[in-house]
Amino acid sequence: MACIVPHARRPDKKNYNPDPAYLRSLIKQIGATQKSIAEAFGLTDRVMRKYLSPKNSPDYRPAPYLVQFALEAAALTAGGTLTLLHG
């Protein structure tokens, strides 16, 4: 069962920032490997690497806003274990 916190930040696509440097900074704040984060989000390691590739790389793909939001949420709770919650 999912838990909703009334004061929690809600997703807002106006905050969309797929910049790989920003996403890498969030991963650093989380303190977990890219691979473990990708697995926790249900992504492959390869897809995560595409999101984190430099923008001028032929492999670069902009991360969807929901991936960014999930990284931000995980960074806010950094220090805990990164797990998936199924409702």
Side-chain angles (χ1 to χ4, degrees), residues 56-73:
N56 61 354
S57 168
D59 290 332
Y60 172 72
R61 299 292 179 270
Y65 175 67
L66 290 178
V67 170
Q68 173 197 325
F69 185 81
L71 286 170
E72 291 170 339

Side-chain angles (χ1 to χ4, degrees):
M1 173 183 262
C3 178
I4 297 178
V5 181
H7 62 279
R9 187 175 142 228
R10 304 274 188 230
D12 184 348
K13 67 180 179 179
K14 290 184 280 186
N15 298 322
Y16 183 49
N17 179 7
D19 185 345
Y22 175 61
L23 301 179
R24 283 191 297 273
S25 74
L26 293 172
I27 288 172
K28 186 175 181 180
Q29 290 175 46
I30 294 167
T33 65
Q34 291 176 16
K35 183 176 182 175
S36 67
I37 292 169
E39 289 174 358
F41 290 177
L43 303 171
T44 65
D45 185 40
R46 183 177 184 186
V47 168
M48 184 64 85
R49 284 194 314 269
K50 288 178 184 266
Y51 296 157
L52 302 174
S53 294
K55 286 184 178 182
N56 61 354
S57 168
D59 290 332
Y60 172 72
R61 299 292 179 270
Y65 175 67
L66 290 178
V67 170
Q68 173 197 325
F69 185 81
L71 286 170
E72 291 170 339
L76 287 173
T77 60
T81 304
L82 185 62
T83 58
L84 284 177
L85 299 177
H86 297 280

